[in-house]
Amino acid sequence: ISIVKNKLKISLELKNIGNQSMPCGLGFHPFFDMTPNVTLQMKAKKNWLVDKNFLFKKKLNIVPKVDFRNKKKLFNTNLVNGFSEWDGFAKIIWPEKKISLEINSSKNLKHLVVFTPTKSNFFCIEPVSHSVDSFNLYNSGVRGTGTKVLKPKKTLKVFTTFKPIPNK
């Protein structure tokens, strides 16, 4: 963890110390204050549908309901969505608080989970290397899960930065 030029940078590292390859994934799971006017802006190409147990089933192209390219309000959206082929940048804007937060993630964090439970005072924006349930999906032959196979003695490194910006 480091703070440089008003940015919080968090890095994670996983090393396979075993003698066999292993499936793995890394990510960050922060939660934020939900307000009536908070918005999210981010770009991804694919959206995962979830089943009744909130496990990902299949990927689809982005549809208008979950297209956040041109910022969209999060309040009362009740999203449990995963996004793939995310470009690594997200911006959360709280007009009521006159502040924004820019999130920049390493290129190997290509998935973003967005969780906005209705009637809650929080939401989650989670940069991760893989989809929810990626190991099982990967083993079932589903492509694009983000599951990494780490060879013996190899290391997976990821990072995310969080930069608050006052709104004018």
Side-chain angles (χ1 to χ4, degrees), residues 41-106:
Q41 182 176 7
M42 66 88 177
K43 286 189 273 187
K45 294 182 180 176
K46 303 286 182 180
N47 174 51
W48 287 87
L49 293 181
V50 296
D51 65 16
K52 64 181 179 178
N53 297 313
F54 301 112
L55 296 177
F56 291 10
K57 289 177 16 176
K58 66 178 183 175
K59 280 189 303 186
L60 299 174
N61 290 325
I62 297 292
V63 296
K65 179 184 177 186
V66 293
D67 185 352
F68 289 93
R69 286 178 295 179
N70 298 312
K71 75 181 176 182
K72 186 176 285 226
K73 282 190 178 184
L74 294 175
F75 191 72
N76 282 334
T77 53
N78 198 33
L79 297 175
V80 181
N81 289 83
F83 296 88
S84 292
E85 299 177 46
W86 174 53
D87 71 0
F89 176 80
K91 185 174 185 179
I92 304 168
I93 303 165
W94 289 272
E96 303 92 333
K97 297 179 179 219
K98 298 184 175 152
I99 196 160
S100 300
L101 182 69
E102 290 184 352
I103 300 170
N104 281 286
S105 295
S106 54

Side-chain angles (χ1 to χ4, degrees), residues 1-2 17 59 92 106 142 144:
I1 297 177
S2 65
I17 60 172
K59 280 189 303 186
I92 304 168
S106 54
V142 177

Side-chain angles (χ1 to χ4, degrees), residues 99-156:
I99 196 160
S100 300
L101 182 69
E102 290 184 352
I103 300 170
N104 281 286
S105 295
S106 54
K107 292 182 182 189
N108 52 358
L109 296 178
K110 291 283 191 192
H111 295 259
L112 188 71
V113 176
V114 177
F115 179 54
T116 63
T118 300
K119 298 181 182 173
S120 292
N121 62 354
F122 73 93
F123 64 95
C124 302
I125 304 295
E126 306 173 4
V128 292
S129 63
H130 55 287
S131 70
V132 171
D133 200 30
S134 70
F135 297 170
N136 288 323
L137 293 169
Y138 177 82
N139 284 335
S140 298
V142 177
R143 299 170 65 97
T145 64
T147 297
K148 310 288 184 224
V149 178
L150 200 56
K151 293 181 179 179
K153 313 303 180 225
K154 295 297 181 182
T155 302
L156 174 63

Side-chain angles (χ1 to χ4, degrees), residues 7-10 102-106 159-163:
K7 281 195 270 189
L8 171 66
K9 181 177 182 180
I10 304 173
E102 290 184 352
I103 300 170
N104 281 286
S105 295
S106 54
F159 71 84
T160 294
T161 62
F162 301 91
K163 181 180 180 183

